[in-house]
Amino acid sequence: MKIKEIKTADYLSASKLPASDYVINPYVGCPHACKYCYACFMKRFTGHDEEWGTFLDVKRCDKPIHVKKIENKSVFLSSVTDCYNQYEEKYGITRMILEQLVGVACSLDISTKSKLILRDLDLLKKMNHLQVSMSINTLDDGFRSDMDNASSIRERLETLKILHENGIKTILFLSPIFPYITDFREILEYSQKFIDVYWFENLNLRGGYKKVILDYIKMKYPQFYEGYIQIYLKKDKSYWVELSQEIEIYCAKENIQYVNYFYHEELVKNKEN
């Protein structure tokens, strides 16, 4: 892992995401190295030629967070890195940021795949409006370990349970849903008692990782390969339309709160308009 410390003018950035006004990314790069990570496009803007997941820039900022700017706004930690990657334990950038946000009248969303977030439970419990989301798309830790270097599925679920028990709003981000592999019903049935809201997002394949994922499916799940060709090369959206309907019916029947982000690009365009 290539690590360096860099200076940044401001931790806050205006957000183009549909559900947040500002984002904070304490790091550039992410050692979780998810094979499907859309954030690998960040390499273009950072001068890194290393493989995604093999470098990490630790952001240092002398300027305190402009808390007046984010009052009554929504803030997202983080959009192109995991703010609780394993090096956060050493550098503590995320904790330092959270210390500045205690008592601020903003809505804070934290997204992570790491049990390390529990280190900061003392600060999280002091936040005015907080929700924590954790990405899970399988109960099979073998498949998970093929895809990322983050906490195990068991650790993620246990983390969500502890957060819920401490009065923190929990979101299970069912993302990215892998066609024919992710069983959303199995995950919901296992976790319903300690999850407040579910988010659903489909697997989008673009750029260099499109071939990586398709090659992986061909090798490990050849029975589904033709289906992936239909979805990702022939642009057939019927799988997602049908799955979206199944999710809607299931969640209505079980009285489950959820948000469907299958049409993320449309949501972004609506926000811009």
Side-chain angles (χ1 to χ4, degrees), residues 105-157:
C106 69
S107 297
L108 179 62
D109 291 359
I110 300 176
S111 181
T112 183
K113 292 180 179 176
S114 173
K115 64 180 181 178
L116 181 58
I117 190 174
L118 293 178
R119 177 203 64 184
D120 295 337
L121 195 55
D122 60 324
L123 297 176
L124 301 178
K125 290 164 73 172
K126 296 177 183 177
M127 297 297 170
N128 287 328
H129 305 285
L130 170 68
Q131 56 185 23
V132 174
S133 62
M134 192 158 283
S135 298
I136 294 172
N137 61 6
T138 181
L139 295 183
D140 176 4
D141 207 53
F143 176 72
R144 190 279 313 163
S145 65
D146 282 347
M147 289 294 132
D148 67 58
N149 299 325
S151 293
S152 70
I153 297 301
R154 181 188 60 78
E155 289 169 334
R156 294 182 207 184
L157 290 166

Side-chain angles (χ1 to χ4, degrees), residues 30-45:
C30 184
H32 287 168
C34 300
K35 285 186 171 63
Y36 47 76
C37 185
Y38 65 88
C40 60
F41 77 89
M42 286 295 294
K43 282 173 54 174
R44 302 200 299 265
F45 307 107

Side-chain angles (χ1 to χ4, degrees), residues 189-207:
E189 287 169 5
Y190 188 94
S191 60
Q192 270 186 63
K193 290 182 180 178
F194 51 88
I195 299 300
D196 294 300
V197 183
Y198 291 89
W199 291 348
F200 296 89
E201 184 178 50
N202 50 333
L203 173 68
N204 287 300
L205 294 183
R206 58 175 72 90

Side-chain angles (χ1 to χ4, degrees), residues 48-60:
H48 285 281
D49 55 12
E50 303 93 339
E51 253 186 80
W52 181 255
T54 66
F55 66 88
L56 187 73
D57 293 348
V58 182
K59 289 185 179 180
R60 297 289 186 185

